[in-house]
Amino acid sequence: MVGHDAAAALAIDGEVVAAVEEERLSRVKKTSDFPAHAITWCLNSAGVDLDQVDVFAFPWRFSPTVAEEMISQICDSDMPVTAKFDALRGTGELYNGMISRDAVYDDFVRRTGYELDPNKLVLVPHHLAHLMCGAYLAGGGDAAFLVSDGRAETLSAVMGELRNGVVSVFDESSVPMTSSLGVAFGRITRYLGFVPNNDEYKVMGLAAYGPPPHHNPLLERVVRLHENGSYTITTPRDTGAYYALFDSLFGGDSEKREQFDFRVKVAGLAQHMVEAITAHQLRTLTARSDLDHLLFEGGLALNCVANTKMLERSPFTGMEVSFGASDPGVAIGAAVYAAGLRNRPTDAVTTPYLGPSYDDRQVLETLAEYADRVEWHEEPDGASVAERTAELLAGKNVVGWFQGRSEFGPRALGNRSILANPAFPDIKDIINLRVKHREPFRPFAPVILESEAPRVFEMGKKTSSPYMTFVFPVRKEYQERIPGACHVDGTARAQTVDERQNPALARLLRAFTARTDVPCLLNTSFNVAGEPIVCSPRDAVECFLATEIDYLVIDRFVVTKKAG
């Protein structure tokens, strides 16, 4: 595989019916391995054999033309001659062994044991796969678009329009991967002691602990904005060199990088850089396009703080960031491209709940295996599950909530979640330290009924936010009522829920609010630091037993730990 976050998706008659990340099944977080488990599950879930699949789509296209461009970039660079030869040798090995069409085909055959008809393999450009994911999940209508991530084949950002199913890219505004905003943000992530391509959201969260910067040395010395909407970012490739650059820009050293205030300052500058560059891109996009709706996809679209500012400060009346905005979503996008976006059924359901589910027998078999350590009670129906869980959450209990099909993407959206009562000011500390085993500065998201959200949050142009991809100010009168769900700056990355999309979670929210008069629940992913979100009942029980989660609710079963 190329990149990270391997996944598979299945579209039948133009509708995405199954999708799952490989990590959920292999239990290797953010794996880039061939998604063998994910492919097998998608096919089995729909009762489809490999022979019945019309097209196999792969979300990268390193064509010979792209390869020529890669060679030219190396030859035209200012690297020493010996470094150019090393780079050319490495690129050749990568192309022939992993990313060429022949390599992709051979890898598929080797890992599946299936002799695929070569004509059935379609390679989809990476940014196009990102766009198709967002367009499909937004309903397939006309929209302006921006795709920005670490890298695609040779670019890191593109913009343009989608009209009547036809994609037009504004080529002059495209950004080469050598000036990748995602890579630059990732290098600052590493500089602050975090893991690139994984921990960027920690930098975003840290930024809120300080005031907005008065001036930004990154924009003064590292970034150049161009009139056509593109930009140039100059940071050295070598880790030691960009550490030295950042130390000189930020006044840092190895000791200061460990200090909270210094990290907050640097995070604020990095976040401001993202906001300034995306605002620059949107100025060009709005000048070129008269469409009033925006699709934003790619890894940068997970920066929900920047997303809200992009929408509110632009002329766009609406903006969508899908649950598959980052790299897992290209599996959906490639499938949609192969199926044809125009073939999307008008009644296709837009849902993130596309992964595995488990029946009562499978749940009970799992619980029986742990009968020496857990005990459980079966509730008669969904209403009683909601009432019992609301009763538990009214106290200072942390509940693992496992319902239906697992959600796709990096956010827990209420089917594999850890829930708690945000009315307790110290609930974040309890979960961070006793359950998640992660940094204490990390915020949690509130989940709320869509109908209640405008009463609690200043929603701006948004009427809903079902995927936690936007941040909203918490209204003053509610900041003291839900302190556990408020970030240090008085905002929250809210998830809105309605009865149609997630009836079990909506029922729980209604029961909890009726019991406590608290309008939302605190929602975080059901996992611990370094582990993928749980997928199966076994994953859930193991996580439950390894943490200080108080109760586990799997479908209709309320599970507790045995004393001693």
Side-chain angles (χ1 to χ4, degrees), residues 132-211:
M132 288 297 100
C133 176
Y136 174 89
L137 296 173
D142 292 354
F145 68 81
L146 173 62
V147 179
S148 182
D149 59 6
R151 62 160 294 172
E153 289 78 7
T154 59
L155 300 173
S156 66
V158 295
M159 67 173 74
E161 291 183 332
L162 178 64
R163 287 183 188 263
N164 299 317
V166 177
V167 176
S168 300
V169 176
F170 301 157
D171 288 324
E172 67 277 9
S173 301
S174 297
V175 180
M177 68 182 191
T178 49
S179 287
S180 170
L181 177 56
V183 169
F185 199 82
R187 286 172 177 165
I188 296 174
T189 299
R190 185 187 295 279
Y191 175 78
L192 291 175
F194 301 125
V195 180
N197 288 327
N198 187 65
D199 291 345
E200 280 79 358
Y201 59 94
K202 297 181 184 180
V203 179
M204 180 183 71
L206 264 179
Y209 282 82

Side-chain angles (χ1 to χ4, degrees), residues 146 157-160 169-176 179 224-232 277-289:
L146 173 62
V158 295
M159 67 173 74
V169 176
F170 301 157
D171 288 324
E172 67 277 9
S173 301
S174 297
V175 180
S179 287
R224 289 203 320 276
L225 305 178
H226 307 306
E227 287 187 8
N228 61 12
S230 69
Y231 49 86
T232 301
I277 288 176
T278 50
H280 166 71
Q281 291 176 291
L282 251 60
R283 281 192 290 273
T284 296
L285 186 54
T286 53
R288 288 286 308 272
S289 175

Side-chain angles (χ1 to χ4, degrees), residues 392-403:
L392 296 173
L393 289 166
K396 213 175 203 177
N397 290 309
V398 177
V399 175
W401 178 255
F402 183 112
Q403 302 288 314

Side-chain angles (χ1 to χ4, degrees), residues 1-2 5-9 20-23 25-26 31-42 57-59 107-108 111-112 331:
M1 290 298 292
V2 184
D5 297 308
V20 67
E21 296 100 313
E22 180 71 7
E23 68 164 27
L25 304 173
S26 71
T31 183
S32 60
D33 195 13
F34 183 88
H37 299 90
I39 291 171
T40 299
W41 178 82
C42 285
F58 181 70
D107 192 38
F108 182 93
R111 296 299 298 270
T112 64

Side-chain angles (χ1 to χ4, degrees), residues 2-73:
V2 184
H4 48 85
D5 297 308
L10 177 66
I12 297 179
D13 296 331
E15 181 173 7
V16 176
V17 298
V20 67
E21 296 100 313
E22 180 71 7
E23 68 164 27
R24 304 293 171 85
L25 304 173
S26 71
R27 308 309 298 162
V28 179
K29 189 173 178 68
K30 296 188 76 67
T31 183
S32 60
D33 195 13
F34 183 88
H37 299 90
I39 291 171
T40 299
W41 178 82
C42 285
L43 294 173
N44 290 344
S45 71
V48 173
D49 294 327
L50 284 166
D51 283 329
Q52 296 174 281
V53 178
D54 299 307
V55 178
F56 295 84
F58 181 70
W60 294 83
R61 186 161 74 195
F62 287 93
S63 64
T65 302
V66 170
E68 293 278 4
E69 189 173 339
M70 293 164 67
I71 293 168
S72 296
Q73 285 179 349

